[in-house]
Amino acid sequence: MKVLSVVGARPQLVKLAPIAAAMGRTRHTHRILHTGQHYDADLSEVFFTGLGIPSPDVHLGIGSGSHGAQTGAMLSALDPVLDAERPDWVLVYGDTNSTIAATLAAVKLHVPVAHLEAGLRSFNRRMPEEHNRVLTDHAADLLLAPTATAMQHLAEENLAGRSVLVGDVMVDVCLRVRDQVAGSSILLDALPHTLDRTAPYVVATLHRPDNTDDPERLDAIVAALAALPVQVALLAHPRLVARAEAHRLDLRRGALHVGRPLAYAEMVAAVLGSLGVVTDSGGLQKEAFVLGRACTTVRPETEWVETLTGEWNVLTPDPHRLADGEFARIVTRGAPAVDRGTPYGDGAAADRVVDVLEEWC
Ligand code: UD1
């Protein structure tokens, strides 16, 4: 069996790591195609080196652009590669523009597509990721779902016949790296250098267009973070930096300590060392949950509804509109005592993915 993994953005590299390792334990052929959607070393290269992923076999070098321009450029660049490779499966990951482009290119050429992390829904049609994941699920031949909730969404959309529950591969990598970094303080050097590592801090990330692209909204969210009574390590995604510069907003204020995005092991260490996480990222919500840290999510909804159990994750879509002190109370609440269970699986999802690809090949 020959599998071609198509990736392009940071969260996909995290999911690729356990798949590449699981494929490497078999006699099957695994090829990796990078679209180039993320090109900064902090968002791409450090994940290949840090997580031991083999270098991509093909790199399309597409880069940034509007949704149409970026997705279109990927589509036309993918055609000749798929023709030449003719894999048994194109494996697509998550919900980015790289996911939908590879799916569309492959189905048109009658190359079977498997979608990893199928069935996630925010039911928020303002999100580019929601368009990408719904369209990908309906076009793909095999839907690999991470949770029972995802399986239910797929069944409600009449897709049960091609859906399989495999668990969440991000748990595989998160647990492995947690065990590797346990007790390592060196990794905390990557946190913003102004941060006092001996005092409590929260980890914050912000990159969703709905939070970054409107200047007034971004300013209000940043002000709410800056007013927190605890240090905030703001690990700034390039989109946040670009939008803040364009809107002439200063990210360096109040409680905020601005740093670069972290490599995976650094991020796991940073979360483990923190009081909690404030984010609009899907992956980080789940990582906080798996690592046992309280998460506060700056969004009106989450795809990872299991994280809401016992207030392990709390949604604060408009932190600046909360009553005085309420945002601070939520962010600093600490890890709840409620048992969170293991809704994302046991850390062996990637081997299951390979087994299912083989069975359905
Ligand atoms: C993309 C995904 C999102 C995912 C996120 C993780 C889509 C629609 N969105 O969002 O689901 O959560 O990746 O990070 O696919 N930029 C750089 N360097 C880079 C990449 C981007 O500076 O290496 C800047 C550019 O200004 C670019 C902006 O970030 O215009 C947005 O990048 P893009 O890849 O379009 O989307 P993300 O916001 O990263």
Side-chain angles (χ1 to χ4, degrees):
M1 177 174 72
K2 178 177 178 184
V3 177
L4 176 70
S5 280
V6 178
V7 291
R10 177 173 59 175
Q12 293 169 322
L13 308 180
V14 177
K15 294 162 206 166
L16 170 63
I19 296 290
M23 285 294 292
R25 291 190 284 272
T26 69
R27 58 189 164 75
H28 301 305
T29 305
H30 186 221
R31 306 263 294 163
I32 298 172
L33 183 151
H34 194 312
T35 62
Q37 176 169 352
H38 283 174
Y39 42 89
D40 282 1
D42 283 346
L43 296 193
S44 181
E45 201 183 309
V46 296
F47 287 83
F48 281 91
T49 45
L51 294 173
I53 307 170
S55 295
D57 299 284
V58 183
H59 200 298
L60 301 182
I62 301 296
S64 298
S66 67
H67 290 293
Q70 188 180 55
T71 312
M74 289 175 192
L75 270 173
S76 55
L78 279 158
D79 268 357
V81 180
L82 294 179
D83 250 340
E85 295 278 341
R86 284 284 156 189
D88 296 299
W89 287 110
V90 165
L91 182 58
V92 297
Y93 298 69
D95 53 22
T96 74
N97 290 342
S98 300
T99 316
I100 184 70
T103 304
L104 210 48
V107 293
K108 297 276 184 194
L109 294 172
H110 311 295
V111 177
V113 178
H115 182 205
L116 186 74
E117 209 175 77
L120 275 257
R121 296 290 181 266
S122 67
F123 302 102
N124 176 352
R125 289 184 47 96
R126 284 187 51 81
M127 291 178 69
E129 293 80 8
E130 186 73 356
H131 319 147
N132 290 342
R133 54 172 88 100
V134 172
L135 294 171
T136 297
D137 282 342
H138 283 261
D141 303 278
L142 171 60
L143 305 175
L144 302 160
T147 62
T149 312
M151 286 295 280
Q152 197 182 324
H153 293 151
L154 293 168
E156 282 160 9
E157 293 174 28
N158 292 325
L159 297 171
R162 39 190 157 123
S163 306
V164 182
L165 178 64
V166 287
D168 192 330
V169 299
M170 282 182 78
V171 175
D172 300 16
V173 62
C174 190
L175 294 180
R176 175 169 68 83
V177 172
R178 178 198 63 187
D179 296 343
Q180 283 166 1
V181 307
S184 161
S185 57
I186 298 165
L187 290 162
L188 295 182
D189 288 350
L191 284 168
H193 64 271
T194 53
L195 191 93
D196 177 359
R197 286 152 182 72
T198 61
Y201 67 89
V202 294
V203 169
T205 75
L206 216 54
H207 77 281
R208 297 264 159 226
D210 263 357
N211 286 335
T212 57
D213 291 5
D214 172 50
E216 270 176 41
R217 178 166 172 83
L218 178 60
D219 187 40
I221 295 172
V222 170
L225 288 169
L228 286 171
V230 61
Q231 303 184 96
V232 178
L234 179 62
L235 309 171
H237 183 285
R239 177 191 275 278
L240 173 62
V241 175
R243 295 300 182 273
E245 263 171 33
H247 307 328
R248 295 180 201 279
L249 294 179
D250 192 3
L251 296 176
R252 288 164 214 284
R253 41 176 140 153
L256 294 177
H257 297 262
V258 182
R260 59 176 182 78
L262 299 184
Y264 194 76
E266 292 169 346
M267 183 58 117
V268 168
V271 171
L272 285 172
S274 76
L275 178 62
V277 169
V278 186
T279 192
D280 60 6
S281 147
L284 193 51
Q285 287 172 53
K286 214 172 25 179
E287 276 145 10
F289 181 85
V290 170
L291 296 171
R293 294 295 175 276
C295 185
T296 306
T297 297
V298 187
R299 279 184 51 193
E301 74 283 304
T302 178
E303 297 80 8
W304 303 107
V305 290
E306 299 80 3
T307 60
L308 299 172
T309 306
E311 296 206 329
W312 277 95
N313 188 11
V314 172
L315 302 175
T316 57
D318 299 303
H320 47 291
R321 297 222 173 91
L322 293 170
D324 253 6
E326 185 61 5
F327 187 50
R329 187 196 65 75
I330 295 170
V331 170
T332 59
R333 71 192 181 283
V338 181
D339 178 13
R340 61 197 192 285
T342 52
Y344 301 113
D346 51 5
D351 287 320
R352 228 167 281 133
V353 167
V354 176
D355 288 348
V356 175
L357 289 174
E358 211 177 300
E359 263 167 51
W360 284 58
C361 190

